[in-house]
Amino acid sequence: PAPSNKSTSLWNFTWLVFMNEKWVPFDVINQVKLEQTLTVGGTFVDIVDSHFPDVKRVRVFPRNNYLSYLGVKYRLSRIMQPDAYLDHVGIAQ
């Protein structure tokens, strides 16, 4: 087959917050918001996430890897993972 001109990312990124002594992934919609904020060089983004029900919004600082919730700073982690779908496509061909 001819090579595709479509540029496809071989990696997915998952954003996690460290709370209650474990790493927890943000809601799916916020994964996109955090990645976009980091990509455009933004300093922070305000999100609504199911892990933080006591406030309207949480301010997240993806470049500095933390968020502020009720006056407490929580650590963030951004994990790079291979795209599982592309991996399976390669095996099937």
Side-chain angles (χ1 to χ4, degrees):
S4 172
N5 290 335
K6 185 174 80 171
S7 67
T8 306
S9 174
L10 298 176
W11 301 96
N12 285 324
F13 294 95
T14 301
W15 286 88
L16 308 168
V17 58
F18 193 76
M19 57 189 306
N20 301 322
E21 300 182 15
K22 61 184 175 184
W23 288 102
V24 179
F26 285 96
D27 295 343
V28 172
I29 187 68
N30 293 324
Q31 298 288 339
V32 174
K33 289 179 182 179
L34 291 167
E35 198 59 34
Q36 286 175 339
T37 302
L38 188 67
T39 301
V40 299
T43 303
F44 67 88
V45 62
D46 291 331
I47 63 169
V48 176
D49 195 273
S50 64
H51 299 95
F52 304 97
D54 298 330
V55 293
K56 288 183 182 179
R57 293 179 295 283
V58 177
R59 183 154 286 181
V60 184
F61 300 84
R63 201 171 7 157
N64 295 35
N65 291 317
Y66 80 92
L67 68 79
S68 180
Y69 175 63
L70 299 177
V72 177
K73 285 185 177 181
Y74 289 81
R75 288 182 11 207
L76 303 183
S77 182
R78 179 177 178 247
I79 299 175
M80 183 171 59
Q81 300 171 314
D83 189 318
Y85 172 75
L86 291 177
D87 188 39
H88 291 300
V89 169
I91 292 170
Q93 291 177 345

